[in-house]
Amino acid sequence: MVMQEEALVATLRAARGAVIGELMVDHYVYGAVQRISPEAPVPVLHVAGERHVLGGAANVAANIAALGGSARLVGVVGDDAAAEQLRRMVAAIGRVEADFAISPTHETIVKTRYLGDRQQIVRVDREGRGPHAAATIAALVDAVDRAVADCDVVVLSDYGKGALGDAVLAAAFAGAQRGCKPVIVDPKRQRFAEY
């Protein structure tokens, strides 16, 4: 069994995946809680440190690279500091090529988790609401077309935040069908018919 797993991992080194979906920065703030606030019945967190890691579809691309494969990462970011941080973190991995559509109406998704003594106290999400602009969707579809044409497998990481709308899904599935490429979906939609 171990030899089969090793052979499977070895084949991943030659694989190139198109990872399409929601791009996120996962931000962790951690420390110790020793008292409750006198202002409200909430814990007071004494911050000891924080870290930022790739989340959503960016995490999937990082995992592919960690297994020895390469990825082309496609999604939407805002025109903001979090997008630049996301680009730097992706570039630091190597083996992942970023192709991001920039949204003038949405900020880059950042999920901040506050942890006291390894217990999550609260999560704060920063993200745009509502549909993306038509120009953003058009840029995203173009990026999807390029990525799917240049890959062995397509991974759709759908968190239901709008990056994988109907036009983007149609482009991904059409490109995969033309190239006879498998599609892996991590769905968050209520209905799966669109997949």
Side-chain angles (χ1 to χ4, degrees), residues 51-149:
R51 65 187 174 100
H52 296 84
V53 298
L54 295 170
N59 179 267
V60 175
N63 289 336
I64 290 171
L67 290 170
S70 61
R72 188 150 179 180
L73 179 61
V74 176
V76 179
V77 295
D79 186 12
D80 52 28
E84 290 308 312
Q85 182 178 37
L86 188 65
R87 287 182 209 285
R88 285 192 305 272
M89 290 191 301
V90 167
I93 296 171
R95 303 182 65 87
V96 177
E97 183 181 343
D99 198 350
F100 300 160
I102 299 171
S103 172
T105 59
H106 288 65
E107 60 188 312
T108 303
I109 299 171
V110 179
K111 295 182 177 183
T112 303
R113 295 165 178 88
Y114 291 89
L115 298 104
D117 302 314
R118 294 181 298 214
Q119 174 73 38
Q120 185 169 314
I121 298 168
V122 68
R123 188 177 95 184
V124 178
D125 290 358
R126 293 179 177 92
E127 62 186 59
R129 298 285 182 170
H132 289 289
T136 301
I137 296 300
L140 191 54
V141 167
D142 287 345
V144 166
D145 288 342
R146 288 189 297 272
V148 173

